[in-house]
Amino acid sequence: MNIDYNLFFLFISNIIALFVAIWKLSQWEERLQQQINLNKKDINQGLESLRHEMKKRDHYISIQLNTLVNYIEKTTNYNPPSMDDFDIK
């Protein structure tokens, strides 16, 4: 049996190159998954911070509105409308 060593070496080197490519691809996939997880964590932290700021803003706005309503009620003869004021005749 005559073995062509050049073809045999080429076949073995292609198999090795294929295994190296698969190994590199799996490493790349792991790094990509880690980056995706970090980005998700950053986005969730950003959203949580935004929710906190919105709650704080809403709280301050409600305090200002309540203060304004109390001021108007005390300084004028303001009577809030009752349901009778909206009766259709």
Side-chain angles (χ1 to χ4, degrees):
M1 180 168 203
N2 219 356
I3 296 178
D4 188 356
Y5 289 107
N6 287 333
L7 287 177
F8 183 71
F9 178 74
L10 183 63
F11 178 70
I12 296 298
S13 65
N14 282 341
I15 289 176
I16 291 171
L18 184 63
F19 283 134
V20 168
I22 291 171
W23 176 64
K24 283 293 199 182
L25 185 62
S26 68
Q27 284 184 335
W28 179 77
E29 184 183 7
E30 288 173 6
R31 285 196 307 266
L32 184 62
Q33 189 62 41
Q34 288 173 351
Q35 190 62 42
I36 287 171
N37 290 340
L38 285 174
N39 288 347
K40 284 181 183 177
K41 188 186 301 183
D42 290 345
I43 288 170
N44 287 337
Q45 287 175 348
L47 287 174
E48 192 59 38
S49 173
L50 183 63
R51 283 187 198 108
H52 178 71
E53 290 297 321
M54 289 174 67
K55 283 180 184 177
K56 199 162 59 168
R57 182 203 63 194
D58 291 346
H59 177 72
Y60 290 136
I61 288 175
S62 68
I63 290 173
Q64 290 173 345
L65 285 175
N66 285 336
T67 304
L68 179 62
V69 167
N70 288 337
Y71 175 77
I72 290 172
E73 287 176 347
K74 288 180 181 178
T75 57
T76 63
N77 57 358
Y78 172 75
N79 294 319
S82 65
M83 291 305 294
D84 295 334
D85 296 335
F86 297 105
D87 283 344
I88 298 174
K89 296 180 182 178

